[in-house]
Amino acid sequence: MPSYDYDLFVIGGGSGGVRSARLAASLGKKVAIAEEFRFGGTCVIRGCVPKKLYVYASQFSKDFEDAAGFGWSVGEIGFDWGKLVAAKEAEITRLEGLYQKGLTNAGAELIASRAELTGPNSIRLLADGRTVTAERIVIAVGGRPTPHRDLPGHELCITSNEVFDLPSLPRSVLIEGGGYIAVEFANILQGLGVAVTLIYRGREILSRFDQDMRQGLHREMEAKGIRILCGDVITAVSRGEGGLLKVETRENGTLQVEQVLEAIGRVPHTQGLGLEAAGVRTDEKGAIIVDAFSRTSAPGIYALGDVTNRVQLTPVAIHEAMCFIETEYKGNPTSPDHDLIATAVFSQPEIGTVGLTEEEAGQRFEEVEVYRAEFRPMRATLSGRSEKMIMKLLVNAADNKVVGAHVLGHAAGEMAQLLGISLKAGVTKADFDRTMAVHPTAAEELVTMYSPSYRLKNGVRA
């Protein structure tokens, strides 16, 4: 049998890579993991973890305002961007240390270097020029912000990679995009006192979400002062007077802002990885093509997480890593389950969702019952806010099974996690109906919507 330097070599120190390396090493395999930037990957270093910290920071401005309605007297307030950035950095550094400690304790070798494939079983480490071999290789290098290189003046813009560590908070920002990142940062920056404009080429933000959630969030964002320009794009960016950026748009003329944030999606980070030399096939977007067990076209090479462009979520990458270990090292072939994945948009208000949208349900089933509630939550009463929560259940009339659940409002992400368990278990609307409500909560609406708001027959409202 061939002799290799390692049983497993992992390229990429993000969630999927770290989990697969740590578990394999804990099983006694000789494992190395290479990371060119920082262990923890996009999620921990410049993604969901620091983003959620910034979401918390941005909510306090609203909380201070609301406190007066509940009898509190709040004095002069102020915000220090530098302190937030420093606190964020301390926390992600702590988490990075935990990732490294977990790998080391399991017996994995950590390599701070870019790693590129030179063949089906060989890897070159750019830090010192070494070439090493491995029986199995896992590629888990994640994704990167989609470049907008054809935009004149793109070099004057920033992406989600840079926004966390700006030297100072801009007074105004134009964000291009309508997905998770664009919407979340629009709310974060507005909450921190920035004048925010969002520009998106589509007809409505968050294109793959339920229409009620999209429209409801749009209304709430505009109500608090975020300007949203749908059906429009940036055509050029240049340096204007007084340090401002001059932004030309197709439909809304010229805008002047201090900063432009490009958030037009993410692409697999596969460029220059040596995939061709190893015989690893990619699709037109650069994503590594894998089968149901995360195997690439090259024997012994596997790919996990965002680099495969299956579902770009951290828990999915971790799940795929665990399936890889079960399949390759425990003799238990396990295919990742990508069905009914609950997810949240940490906008303000939040969106929590699992299952089919109303449009998807109408296309898939002959008759769908739609249960919908829109109401002012209790936390908004004494504060005087007019914001509304929206809750929605979609039910296949043929078998009474709940096929979609959507929430817009405070703590929607927390609700989505529990709704995900319910829908994964195949819950019916009758199960919701016989569940006792927890009162007073906003979530009780989910179990007190006894009659359909309307029905869809062959996708058309009856």
Side-chain angles (χ1 to χ4, degrees), residues 41-62:
T42 296
C43 179
V44 172
I45 304 302
R46 50 192 180 193
C48 34
V49 170
K51 172 200 71 183
K52 191 69 180 290
L53 295 175
Y54 283 18
V55 167
Y56 289 139
S58 66
Q59 289 172 337
F60 283 105
S61 57
K62 175 181 172 182

Side-chain angles (χ1 to χ4, degrees), residues 17-28:
V18 167
R19 183 61 62 95
S20 55
R22 181 171 60 80
L23 292 179
S26 69
L27 295 173

Side-chain angles (χ1 to χ4, degrees), residues 288-305:
I288 296 177
I289 299 170
V290 293
D291 67 8
F293 296 93
S294 298
R295 295 178 292 220
T296 72
S297 55
I301 301 181
Y302 308 79
L304 309 171

Side-chain angles (χ1 to χ4, degrees), residues 148-157 176 234-239 245-248 260 262:
H148 201 173
R149 296 192 182 94
D150 59 345
L151 173 69
H154 68 86
E155 68 281 357
L156 300 173
C157 307
E176 183 170 33
I234 298 174
T235 57
V237 180
S238 60
R239 184 67 68 184
L245 295 178
K246 183 180 177 183
V247 183
E248 304 295 338
V260 176
E262 288 289 346

Side-chain angles (χ1 to χ4, degrees), residues 53-312:
L53 295 175
Y54 283 18
V55 167
Y56 289 139
S58 66
Q59 289 172 337
F60 283 105
S61 57
K62 175 181 172 182
D63 291 341
F64 293 141
E65 293 175 358
D66 290 352
F70 290 87
W72 288 92
S73 296
V74 179
E76 183 179 352
I77 61 173
F79 173 69
D80 190 321
W81 169 254
K83 286 185 177 179
L84 174 61
V85 173
K88 175 272 300 181
E89 184 60 30
E91 175 59 11
I92 66 173
T93 299
R94 183 186 72 85
L95 293 174
E96 181 183 14
L98 291 178
Y99 271 69
Q100 293 175 329
K101 183 178 179 181
L103 288 164
T104 301
N105 288 348
E109 178 185 348
L110 281 63
I111 301 174
S113 173
R114 178 174 175 80
E116 297 177 357
L117 299 172
T118 56
N121 298 97
S122 60
I123 309 101
R124 182 173 65 249
L125 303 173
L126 272 62
D128 57 15
R130 281 189 300 147
T131 296
V132 298
T133 60
E135 182 180 12
R136 290 180 175 87
I137 298 172
V138 162
I139 303 171
V141 295
R144 58 186 174 87
T146 301
H148 201 173
R149 296 192 182 94
D150 59 345
L151 173 69
H154 68 86
E155 68 281 357
L156 300 173
C157 307
I158 62 170
T159 70
S160 57
N161 280 355
E162 296 83 36
V163 70
F164 291 106
D165 299 292
L166 293 173
S168 61
L169 198 61
R171 286 172 293 181
S172 58
V173 64
L174 175 64
I175 301 175
E176 183 170 33
Y180 283 86
I181 296 172
V183 166
E184 289 173 339
F185 271 104
N187 284 273
I188 288 170
L189 293 172
Q190 191 275 336
L192 297 178
V194 180
V196 177
T197 300
L198 183 75
I199 185 169
Y200 178 50
R201 63 181 179 177
R203 296 171 62 183
E204 185 58 277
I205 58 174
L206 297 173
S207 63
R208 287 172 286 184
F209 285 76
D210 185 87
Q211 189 70 8
D212 275 330
M213 303 297 108
R214 301 167 68 190
Q215 293 176 344
L217 178 59
H218 187 140
R219 288 194 298 269
E220 294 295 343
M221 288 173 63
E222 287 194 324
K224 64 183 181 181
I226 297 174
R227 185 184 182 192
I228 300 177
L229 307 174
C230 287
D232 200 1
V233 296
I234 298 174
T235 57
V237 180
S238 60
R239 184 67 68 184
E241 296 180 1
L244 293 177
L245 295 178
K246 183 180 177 183
V247 183
E248 304 295 338
T249 70
R250 188 180 61 195
E251 305 293 337
N252 285 276
T254 302
L255 307 175
Q256 293 196 68
V257 292
E258 286 194 2
Q259 193 68 258
V260 176
L261 170 61
E262 288 289 346
I264 54 175
R266 293 178 64 83
V267 292
H269 194 32
T270 52
Q271 189 173 7
L273 202 56
L275 300 180
E276 292 183 2
V280 176
R281 292 179 54 232
T282 60
D283 65 14
E284 66 280 359
K285 294 182 179 180
I288 296 177
I289 299 170
V290 293
D291 67 8
F293 296 93
S294 298
R295 295 178 292 220
T296 72
S297 55
I301 301 181
Y302 308 79
L304 309 171
D306 290 4
V307 75
T308 67
N309 203 28
R310 287 177 283 186
V311 181
Q312 294 185 9

